Amino acid sequence: MEAKHSKSSAGRHSGAHAGGHAAGEPVDPTTSRAQEGSVRYLEGEGLKRPLDPPELVRRGMLVFMGLAVLVGAFLVFRWVDGVYLSPASDQEEMQRNITREVALDLPSLATLMPLDDAAMVQSFADAGLTIYERTPVGTNPDGGFDVVKLPSDVSLEEAGLLYLQGINNISGASAAKLLNGSWDLEVSRKAGTVLRLHYADFSATNADDAIFNAMASQGLDSTMVTDSGVDDAGNTYQAGTTPEGYGWRVSVIGLDEMYKISGLPSTAQYVGIRMTD
């Protein structure tokens, strides 16, 4: 059955063709809605200029390159010095500080025992010793004090800065300078009188040698020994009683066991002398 189209339908189709172009008719590109845009080319004269920077810029670049070379050379020197040169120079300085001639001036504990705190400290001043007070006299309510006798070539200011850092945190050379020729004395009054003297013995070759040196400094000899051996902490010790009736004990341990400082002599000993009433 043939399809029928209404007049209105035919009118809509005929109107659509009336406003357009007939099929197959060429389209004028100048009147088309989809017009082509014109192609624009950049000015090429700037690209023909020479690439060399101005003279002032070149000079600035040369100065900058020179500074970069100098900074690089400085950083390389610092690295070489820190890795290769400084350890060797520090070890040499440490050895010089260990072997330098400086008086130890150990006090006689038996002589100090009958004195009060102020009289003890005054005796150090009378002997011309330089004392660094870690716990000054009068600051401990129970009595007692804690002082360090400094080497004769170390000032109070220098020692104070080093002690604030801690022996294990300073260079080996500085530690050796501070330890050689110094001792510390701690006085306790809590339960009677207890004196504790500590120092480093760089001249000893072993523990027994260091004990012998310590006993000789206090006027002690083998006839006064009542006990000896190695305690639980690894200290080699000897103990006894003085003619005055004071109890004493000398104990030693390797200095490298006490301080973690690279380069210390393996024979050096850390010495402790205790005396009680």
Side-chain angles (χ1 to χ4, degrees):
M1 183 177 179
E2 184 181 357
K4 296 182 179 179
H5 297 278
S6 64
K7 293 182 178 180
S8 60
S9 175
R12 285 196 298 271
H13 286 286
S14 62
H17 288 288
H21 299 278
E25 183 180 350
V27 179
D28 184 357
T30 61
T31 60
S32 173
R33 293 182 180 179
Q35 297 182 3
E36 292 186 15
S38 59
V39 178
R40 296 184 180 183
Y41 296 94
L42 297 175
E43 176 61 44
E45 291 300 323
L47 302 176
K48 298 179 181 179
R49 296 174 184 171
L51 297 178
D52 296 335
E55 180 65 23
L56 184 60
V57 174
R58 288 203 300 270
R59 292 180 180 178
M61 292 173 64
L62 290 175
V63 171
F64 178 79
M65 291 171 62
L67 290 175
V69 170
L70 291 176
V71 171
F74 174 75
L75 292 177
V76 170
F77 172 78
R78 289 288 299 274
W79 178 79
V80 172
D81 180 66
V83 174
Y84 296 103
L85 303 180
S86 290
S89 60
D90 187 70
Q91 186 64 35
E92 292 173 358
E93 186 179 357
M94 177 192 290
Q95 190 61 33
R96 286 195 299 269
N97 287 335
I98 290 174
T99 57
R100 79 191 196 281
E101 294 293 333
V102 57
L104 189 54
D105 295 320
L106 289 174
S108 170
L109 298 187
T111 302
L112 296 177
M113 284 296 290
L115 305 180
D116 61 23
D117 294 346
M120 287 187 192
V121 174
Q122 185 59 47
S123 71
F124 304 148
D126 294 342
L129 305 180
T130 302
I131 298 298
Y132 173 74
E133 296 182 283
R134 292 194 293 201
T135 305
V137 173
T139 59
N140 190 333
D142 296 322
F145 59 91
D146 186 359
V147 297
V148 179
K149 177 264 179 185
L150 301 179
S152 56
D153 55 355
V154 176
S155 67
L156 277 171
E157 292 77 12
E158 182 181 4
L161 291 175
L162 294 175
Y163 276 120
L164 284 176
Q165 297 176 66
I167 297 295
N168 285 321
N169 298 322
I170 60 180
S171 69
S174 296
K177 183 178 182 180
L178 198 59
L179 291 172
N180 187 18
S182 72
W183 47 259
D184 67 82
L185 175 66
E186 180 185 356
V187 177
S188 174
R189 305 283 188 181
K190 289 184 179 180
T193 298
V194 180
L195 308 184
R196 295 182 177 89
L197 180 67
H198 301 96
Y199 63 94
D201 187 346
F202 290 101
S203 65
T205 57
N206 52 50
D208 291 335
D209 193 18
I211 289 177
F212 177 83
N213 294 339
M215 290 176 61
S217 73
Q218 300 300 312
L220 306 172
D221 59 51
S222 58
T223 63
M224 304 176 189
V225 177
T226 59
D227 187 20
S228 63
V230 178
D231 61 22
D232 294 338
N235 296 288
T236 302
Y237 73 92
Q238 291 192 22
T241 305
T242 69
E244 298 88 352
Y246 302 129
W248 61 269
R249 173 183 164 115
V250 175
S251 57
V252 304
I253 194 170
L255 189 61
D256 55 1
E257 294 290 328
M258 188 66 187
Y259 299 114
K260 303 305 179 183
I261 302 172
S262 176
L264 288 175
S266 59
T267 56
Q269 303 292 317
Y270 183 77
V271 183
I273 306 175
R274 185 184 67 192
M275 192 165 287
T276 59
D277 59 6

